[in-house]
Amino acid sequence: MTEQTNVAKATEAHRSEEVLTPPVDVIEDASGITLFADLPGVPKDKVTLQVEDNTLTIEGAMDLEALEGVSRFRRVFTLSKELDGEKVTADFNQGVLKLRIPKAAHAQPRKIDIRVS
Amino acid sequence: MIYRTLFPRDVFAELDRLQRDMQQAYEFSPSIRGLARGGFPGLSMNTTPKSVEIHAFIPGLDPAGIEMQLEKGVLTIAGERKSVLPGREDKATVHIDERFVGRFRRVIALPDDINPDAVDAHYRDGVLHVSIQRREAAQPRRITIQ
């Protein structure tokens, strides 16, 4: 019986902590990666970005009085080695997060000259 | 708007169809307007005794670009979301492309007792909040016994 109650409680806790996956666009160009994420209803101060051990975590909490419960957004990406996680810049406007992750200087494309001997 | 696809390998169309079939199976009277393609923007409608509250999740729009119309008890929200994806001439690669792009239009049938002259709409943090007052007569009133 006790076990069953625990299971029920765990399910409830899981429901109240329901996490939404925001849709994203990821575009790569020669100097880095640009990421756009839709986080509607999240105020600027409730967006959390974290880069740790090549892992980028995007989190946001919705803040809508009229809607019951608070919905959270969360999405995690693994960055590859050539990306410079320390130089990420972020811009947040009307529920859209724009991240720019530059490539490390040594990973920037270089033209390689072929010497003719 | 949604047809059984001509291209049987279009997995998204198949999922759309599956979703409709599921809706038919569990809800015996689905809305006559069906499901919007891709379900954009996400909508929520709540009613209180005094008002009808609608939230539409449309991130990244200019409020001036959202068209809203209320006619004969039907609310229409329409607009367009521009693509951020690079063009063919740009030397860029798109790795993930999930965000909605293009024109959208959603239609919501409202309760009969709304007051079309008392509509309030705000756009904040990518959410459009529409609040429509209901008529006095519809609100519960306490009747005193003489």
Side-chain angles (χ1 to χ4, degrees), chain A:
Chain A
M1 282 301 265
T2 333
E3 269 177 35
Q4 274 186 347
T5 331
N6 282 345
V7 170
K9 267 187 194 161
T11 325
E12 264 173 40
H14 180 72
R15 265 195 205 139
S16 63
E17 278 288 300
E18 201 171 348
V19 179
L20 304 169
T21 306
V24 299
D25 285 350
V26 175
I27 302 146
E28 177 170 4
D29 58 37
S31 58
I33 278 182
T34 310
L35 182 149
F36 293 88
D38 280 351
L39 303 162
V42 179
K44 202 175 179 175
D45 56 316
K46 293 273 176 69
V47 181
T48 324
L49 293 169
Q50 204 186 338
V51 182
E52 200 182 340
D53 297 339
N54 278 343
T55 304
L56 167 72
T57 310
I58 300 168
E59 279 181 304
M62 268 198 211
D63 180 23
L64 294 173
E65 294 157 24
L67 293 184
E68 280 174 33
V70 177
S71 288
R72 295 193 319 117
F73 288 103
R74 183 183 155 89
R75 197 149 176 184
V76 181
F77 294 97
T78 304
L79 302 179
S80 55
K81 270 184 197 156
E82 78 278 12
L83 294 169
D84 193 342
E86 310 229 315
K87 287 189 185 147
V88 178
T89 51
D91 189 25
F92 190 64
N93 189 24
Q94 291 291 16
V96 178
L97 175 73
K98 183 182 175 184
L99 282 186
R100 177 75 190 161
I101 312 159
K103 287 182 187 171
H106 63 82
Q108 298 278 359
R110 264 177 308 148
K111 193 164 175 157
I112 299 160
D113 291 322
I114 302 165
R115 280 176 296 175
V116 184
S117 54

Side-chain angles (χ1 to χ4, degrees), chain A residues 22-30 33 36-44 62-67 75 77 92-96, chain B residues 40 44 46 53 55 57-61 63 81 84-86 91-101 123-127 129:
Chain A
V24 299
D25 285 350
V26 175
I27 302 146
E28 177 170 4
D29 58 37
I33 278 182
F36 293 88
D38 280 351
L39 303 162
V42 179
K44 202 175 179 175
M62 268 198 211
D63 180 23
L64 294 173
E65 294 157 24
L67 293 184
R75 197 149 176 184
F77 294 97
F92 190 64
N93 189 24
Q94 291 291 16
V96 178
Chain B
F40 187 88
S44 104
N46 296 298
E53 308 286 337
H55 289 87
F57 298 87
I58 328 172
L61 253 79
R81 197 154 91 142
V84 294
L85 301 180
K91 283 183 182 169
T93 316
V94 177
H95 293 298
I96 308 178
D97 167 18
E98 296 168 345
R99 295 167 67 241
F100 178 89
V101 169
Y123 185 69
R124 188 172 65 100
D125 297 329
V127 177
H129 176 204

Side-chain angles (χ1 to χ4, degrees), chain B residues 6 9 40 65 69-70 100:
Chain B
L6 283 170
R9 296 213 181 140
F40 187 88
Q69 208 180 340
L70 178 60
F100 178 89

Side-chain angles (χ1 to χ4, degrees), chain B residues 64-104:
Chain B
I66 305 173
E67 302 153 37
M68 212 171 59
Q69 208 180 340
L70 178 60
E71 197 185 352
K72 292 177 185 157
V74 172
L75 180 76
T76 308
I77 299 168
E80 185 173 9
R81 197 154 91 142
K82 297 265 186 295
S83 175
V84 294
L85 301 180
R88 239 161 224 242
E89 60 280 3
D90 298 326
K91 283 183 182 169
T93 316
V94 177
H95 293 298
I96 308 178
D97 167 18
E98 296 168 345
R99 295 167 67 241
F100 178 89
V101 169
R103 284 201 65 80
F104 61 86

Side-chain angles (χ1 to χ4, degrees), chain B residues 107-143:
Chain B
V107 179
I108 310 149
L110 298 170
D112 293 337
D113 56 20
I114 53 129
N115 180 359
D117 300 322
V119 184
D120 198 24
H122 291 277
Y123 185 69
R124 188 172 65 100
D125 297 329
V127 177
L128 175 71
H129 176 204
V130 186
S131 179
I132 306 164
Q133 298 296 309
R134 300 173 82 171
R135 289 191 194 285
E136 286 277 319
Q139 289 167 25
R141 199 176 300 159
R142 202 185 179 92
I143 299 160

